[in-house]
Amino acid sequence: MADKDDYLLDMLLDLGFLTPDQVSGARAEAVSAGVGAVELLLANKVIRPADVTQAKAAHFGAEVVNLSSIQIGDEVLAMVPRHVARKYRVVPVFSHEGSVTVAISDPSDIATIDALGHVLNADVQVQVASDEEIEAALSKYYGGSVTGDSLVDKAIVELTRDDVGFAALEAADDGAAVEADAPLIKLVNQIIVDAFKMRASDIHLEPLSKKFRLRYRIDGVLHEMKNPPKRLQAAVIARLKIQSNMSIAEHRIPQDGRIQSQVGSKTIDLRVSCLPTNHGESIVMRILDKEGLRLGLAELGFFTDDQQTFERLIGLPDGIILVTGPTGSGKTTTLYSCLHFINRPDRKIITVEDPVEYILAGINQVQVNEIVGLSFSAALRSILRQAPNIIMIGEIRDMETATIAINASLTGHMVFSTLHTNDAPSAVTRLIDIGVKPFLVASSTRAMMAQRLVRKICKRCAEPATPTDHELKQLGLLGEASRGANFMRGRGCSECSNTGHRGRMGIFEVFVVDDDVRKLIYDKVPASVLRTRAREMGMRTLREDGIRKVVGGLTTPEEVIRATVGDTD
């Protein structure tokens, strides 16, 4: 400690943060008090922690990095796994051709830097940041509790202390052994409770070769939590399979189930998927949040003009409205919100879903069951005899489903469904590729809407920000285009777990089909021609809608660029 104080005092003197008299006085007082001279100066507020950080960096010829003012990309964070970052208390800053630069609070700790190089199998360069900045960055980028005192951590410690018997660990053949093991039940329940409290949408339990990884997806981004011990893998998976009414004796085929769990006074539903992998069975639990279904269209992220257009479209008496986008882009939530908006006592609404995720009051919902022959197409043929006004189809997957849906729309029904396409105009070519006649597509389709999800800036810690020139160039906001923009970012706080983001919103591309577009569809023009016509009609692309939300201070340029990387038109 004395050696470290000596070089720090010398550097603080050289940098002008201390005078010679202050240095000699601090050394003398430290000897009599039995504490470090630098610690004493900090306690008396003669110097600041930032001064010490700068002195450390100067002594070792390293740069000082302000972690709160930079945004670290996912590809850089992937270079240093969560458990490594926490163990060595480092934060990756950037990487280049097999080299990784990390922020560390003590650049004199050569042993840690060498060990990190061996663990990462990379050349490690260092920059210097304060302990406080590193702790905040670890929480922001890796999620969870940096101090390791979460309730899941405590449950793991208790389980390790009490241990589980070999009967529980080999629970594939003995479900009762797991049921009887209270610490294990407590651990599994706490994983679910913590995920719900952290606003996670999914819980991932993944068996890898040397660890049993636990991750939560929060606002669309996966965060690795403290992993349960590898030896508990079989017992945890067996416990979840029992709760989900799956067969614990079956390890060779995928299985699906549901769990109902109590969090305080609230009951939550989880949809559980079990998939065999090389190192065991992987479990993914989707947390079904019924409150999200009560969202109005404005809460989904619509601006007033798009909201008015969409409300007019979903209020039409017949036709098809398609919502497009990749898996996880919020299509189902949008459709449920539409049904909630138009659900009235004088309308009969039937849905065909696989699976039925949410139970909606006043709506008839049909669960697809291929095993007994209840496919999308079979269900659709039957429900048309139920005389519905509105039909929702979970997804148009094949020619038969598409044909029945279109015929239903042409006979006085309003049909909502989804397609997996990158943008709105491509939905037309996708239907034709499936085998639907162009004239049927043209006459039945009312509108197509593509959407993506971006993270919202945390309202509690939002602050003005200046985007980089690269971000402004990608969004086309250089020069006069950015005048009057309200660029914001989240600084990071306890409300958003130091991520700067809380919740998600949609960005939308609404393509309304008019008579000119119908003629183009009938003529089988490519999607690029439809897109050009849609732009002429005033359709905003996904990126353009995202730019409006960046300029309005609702999200960040980085989020919009990530979500619309393929939308450069």
Side-chain angles (χ1 to χ4, degrees):
M1 180 61 74
D3 291 342
K4 187 175 292 187
D5 269 7
D6 284 341
Y7 90 72
L8 282 177
L9 289 171
D10 290 341
M11 288 308 305
L12 289 165
L13 180 62
D14 291 344
L15 293 171
F17 294 126
L18 293 174
T19 65
D21 289 343
Q22 286 174 320
V23 171
S24 58
R27 281 179 167 144
E29 189 176 349
V31 171
S32 62
V35 296
V38 173
E39 182 183 347
L40 194 66
L41 289 166
L42 285 169
N44 293 332
K45 297 186 178 179
V46 178
I47 56 174
R48 302 171 303 160
D51 301 336
V52 177
T53 300
Q54 193 167 337
K56 289 178 181 178
H59 181 75
F60 290 94
E63 294 182 20
V64 175
V65 59
N66 184 353
L67 293 175
S68 63
S69 67
I70 63 173
Q71 187 68 29
I72 303 169
D74 292 341
E75 68 282 356
V76 177
L77 294 171
M79 292 282 292
V80 182
R82 178 176 182 272
H83 68 282
V84 173
R86 287 193 169 181
K87 177 179 179 180
Y88 295 103
R89 296 196 59 74
V90 298
V91 176
V93 179
F94 60 84
S95 60
H96 179 68
E97 295 180 353
S99 172
V100 59
T101 299
V102 301
I104 191 170
S105 63
D106 184 7
S108 67
D109 190 353
I110 305 301
T112 290
I113 297 170
D114 286 345
L116 198 59
H118 287 298
V119 169
L120 300 178
N121 192 26
D123 179 31
V124 176
Q125 306 295 324
V126 298
Q127 293 183 347
V128 186
S130 66
D131 280 320
E132 293 77 11
E133 279 194 319
I134 286 175
E135 182 169 337
L138 285 171
S139 180
K140 175 179 179 179
Y141 293 110
Y142 290 99
S145 169
V146 177
T147 57
D149 58 358
S150 73
L151 292 175
V152 169
D153 296 343
K154 291 177 181 177
I156 290 174
V157 170
E158 181 181 344
L159 188 55
T160 302
R161 183 175 64 246
D162 292 351
D163 212 345
V164 291
F166 286 104
L169 287 174
E170 297 173 355
D173 297 317
D174 185 6
V178 182
E179 286 290 344
D181 201 286
L184 179 68
I185 295 172
K186 183 176 180 180
L187 169 63
V188 171
N189 290 344
Q190 197 60 56
I191 287 173
I192 295 172
V193 170
D194 275 14
F196 180 77
K197 289 181 177 178
M198 294 175 72
R199 301 179 298 104
S201 60
D202 301 272
I203 303 169
H204 294 250
L205 284 159
E206 303 159 309
L208 305 178
S209 58
K210 295 183 179 178
K211 66 179 180 179
F212 185 35
R213 184 165 65 181
L214 169 64
R215 296 192 289 177
Y216 295 156
R217 188 180 297 279
I218 304 169
D219 294 333
V221 178
L222 282 169
H223 297 269
E224 187 169 346
M225 301 293 111
K226 181 169 183 179
N227 299 319
K230 177 71 174 175
R231 65 189 183 82
L232 300 181
Q233 175 180 308
V236 170
I237 290 174
R239 168 64 185 168
L240 287 169
K241 289 172 74 174
I242 289 169
Q243 284 185 283
S244 310
N245 292 319
M246 298 180 192
S247 169
I248 62 171
E250 180 57 73
H251 307 284
R252 300 163 298 171
I253 61 174
Q255 297 185 70
D256 293 301
R258 297 177 80 95
I259 294 176
Q260 195 169 79
S261 184
Q262 196 74 22
V263 179
S265 60
K266 187 166 185 177
T267 301
I268 62 171
D269 292 322
L270 299 99
R271 192 182 77 205
V272 186
S273 171
C274 179
L275 180 72
T277 69
N278 283 346
H279 303 291
E281 290 171 292
S282 173
I283 297 278
V284 175
M285 292 179 277
R286 167 68 57 87
I287 299 175
L288 305 176
D289 181 13
K290 293 182 175 63
E291 291 184 0
L293 304 180
R294 303 191 187 101
L295 293 177
L297 297 179
E299 285 78 13
L300 292 178
F302 282 104
F303 276 153
T304 304
D305 51 354
D306 281 341
Q307 181 179 340
Q308 290 174 345
T309 300
F310 200 60
E311 285 179 358
R312 177 181 62 80
L313 290 168
I314 64 179
L316 293 173
D318 55 34
I320 291 182
I321 292 179
L322 296 171
V323 180
T324 76
T327 301
S329 59
K331 300 187 299 295
T332 300
T333 299
T334 296
L335 287 180
Y336 277 134
S337 295
C338 290
L339 296 182
H340 181 71
F341 180 80
I342 60 179
N343 186 15
R344 299 203 305 258
D346 62 336
R347 293 175 174 175
K348 179 161 184 173
I349 303 175
I350 301 182
T351 73
V352 184
E353 305 168 65
D354 183 20
V356 173
E357 293 190 359
Y358 304 95
I359 307 302
L360 300 175
I363 293 177
N364 302 275
Q365 296 173 268
V366 179
Q367 166 78 55
V368 168
N369 188 344
E370 298 281 356
I371 296 175
V372 299
L374 185 58
S375 62
F376 271 105
S377 55
L380 277 172
R381 282 194 297 270
S382 297
I383 67 174
L384 288 176
R385 292 192 286 273
Q386 295 280 315
N389 301 103
I390 297 159
I391 301 168
M392 189 195 91
I393 306 168
E395 180 186 347
I396 292 180
R397 303 181 179 184
D398 52 41
M399 168 66 174
E400 189 174 9
T401 304
T403 301
I404 297 172
I406 286 175
N407 288 336
S409 71
L410 294 173
T411 53
H413 303 86
M414 190 68 202
V415 179
F416 296 95
S417 191
T418 68
L419 274 179
H420 289 286
T421 63
N422 290 329
D423 61 7
S426 297
V428 172
T429 52
R430 171 67 177 146
L431 286 174
I432 294 173
D433 287 343
I434 287 176
V436 181
K437 301 292 184 184
F439 76 90
L440 290 174
V441 177
S443 56
S444 63
T445 309
R446 296 289 177 262
M448 290 142 286
M449 184 179 76
Q451 70 175 69
R452 300 289 188 277
L453 292 175
V454 294
R455 290 184 291 175
K456 293 190 290 187
I457 295 169
C458 175
K459 293 181 180 179
R460 181 174 173 181
C461 63
E463 62 182 15
T466 303
T468 65
D469 288 341
H470 178 67
E471 289 173 336
L472 292 174
K473 182 178 179 181
Q474 285 193 283
L475 296 179
L477 291 175
L478 290 172
E480 289 295 318
S482 63
R483 184 179 296 277
N486 181 30
F487 295 118
M488 303 290 285
R489 69 159 192 165
R491 183 178 61 255
C493 64
S494 58
E495 188 76 13
C496 60
S497 301
N498 288 310
T499 63
H501 299 279
R502 184 174 175 86
R504 289 189 289 176
M505 67 189 305
I507 54 176
F508 304 98
E509 178 178 285
V510 183
F511 179 22
V512 181
V513 177
D514 65 2
D515 289 338
D516 290 341
V517 172
R518 289 191 182 92
K519 186 177 185 307
L520 292 174
I521 295 172
Y522 186 79
D523 292 337
K524 293 186 181 181
V525 300
S528 58
V529 176
L530 290 173
R531 189 172 182 82
T532 301
R533 172 56 188 156
R535 298 296 303 281
E536 291 170 353
M537 293 166 58
M539 182 190 81
R540 272 182 294 271
T541 65
L542 289 165
R543 176 156 291 189
E544 287 169 344
D545 192 45
I547 290 170
R548 289 204 300 169
K549 284 154 186 173
V550 169
V551 170
L554 301 176
T555 189
T556 61
E558 181 188 22
E559 280 293 298
V560 172
I561 292 168
R562 174 190 57 79
T564 62
V565 67
D567 179 17
T568 56
D569 184 7

